[in-house]
């Protein structure tokens, strides 16, 4: 199945409405404590409408639920490459540059007076009995 035709599983409309009513209620309380009473009252009314809709007729929240999920997916497609690029260029690239400066070859890619890339095993250090009853 291609990604474009993939069906997105939405949370239930009631859970979506209750979650957003709690979120909007917390925002309303924050605005109230910040002395922004008009905005706090608007958020309180929106909280009540969302809560009542979630409890009595959750089907009315279906389009908001779907649009919120699509917004999250779109945001993930934008933010994920940025975060992964930052991790790559901030962590892996400096380590690789430092290893090249010190001429480290952890993957043993260069042939240096060896006939093979195989690493010879030292049989004297470990006995076969060491692998039994490890814990």
């Amino acid at each position: 199945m291609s990604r474009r035709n993939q069906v997105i599983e939405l949370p239930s409309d009631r859970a979506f409405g209750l979650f957003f009513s709690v979120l909007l209620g917390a925002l309303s309380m924050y605005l109230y404590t910040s002395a922004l009473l008009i905005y706090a009252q608007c958020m309180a009314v929106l909280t009540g409408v969302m809560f009542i809709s979630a409890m009595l007729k959750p089907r009315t929240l279906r389009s908001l639920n779907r649009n919120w999920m699509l917004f999250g997916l779109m945001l993930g497609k934008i933010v994920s490459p940025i975060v992964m690029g930052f991790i790559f260029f901030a962590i892996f690239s400096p380590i690789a540059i430092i290893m090249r400066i010190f001429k480290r070859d952890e993957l043993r890619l260069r042939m240096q007076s060896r006939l093979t890339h195989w690493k010879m095993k030292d049989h004297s250090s470990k006995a076969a009995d060491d692998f039994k009853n490890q814990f």
Side-chain angles (χ1 to χ4, degrees):
M1 181 183 295
S2 70
R3 287 186 159 199
R4 289 185 189 261
N5 297 334
Q6 187 176 5
V7 177
I8 302 165
E9 186 175 333
L10 298 174
S12 72
D13 296 329
R14 177 167 283 143
F16 172 78
L18 292 176
F19 173 75
F20 267 91
S21 64
V22 168
L23 196 67
L24 292 172
L27 181 62
S28 175
M29 285 188 258
Y30 172 75
L31 292 172
Y32 182 76
T33 59
S34 299
L36 299 169
L37 298 177
I38 299 295
Y39 297 117
Q41 290 172 349
C42 290
M43 285 296 132
V45 168
L46 196 56
T47 299
V49 168
M50 187 72 85
F51 183 76
I52 290 170
S53 295
M55 295 309 287
L56 299 179
K57 197 122 167 134
R59 179 96 170 125
T60 59
L61 301 174
R62 169 85 30 117
S63 63
L64 286 175
N65 191 358
R66 186 180 303 118
N67 289 335
W68 181 254
M69 190 63 73
L70 289 174
F71 174 70
L73 289 172
M74 182 188 67
L75 196 62
K77 287 184 179 188
I78 294 170
V79 172
S80 288
I82 293 171
V83 170
M84 295 304 285
F86 175 77
I87 289 172
F88 179 79
F89 289 113
I91 296 174
F92 294 117
S93 293
I95 291 172
I97 291 169
I98 290 170
M99 289 181 77
R100 282 189 183 230
I101 289 171
F102 290 111
K103 298 192 187 320
R104 298 284 306 253
D105 187 23
E106 296 299 321
L107 296 176
R108 299 172 49 102
L109 296 176
R110 283 186 235 122
M111 295 288 269
Q112 298 173 345
S113 68
R114 294 189 300 254
L115 298 176
T116 179
H117 284 291
W118 285 88
K119 187 174 180 181
M120 298 305 293
K121 183 177 178 182
D122 184 19
H123 294 286
S124 63
S125 63
K126 296 284 183 191
D129 293 334
D130 290 344
F131 294 107
K132 293 181 181 171
N133 300 324
Q134 295 181 22
F135 303 104

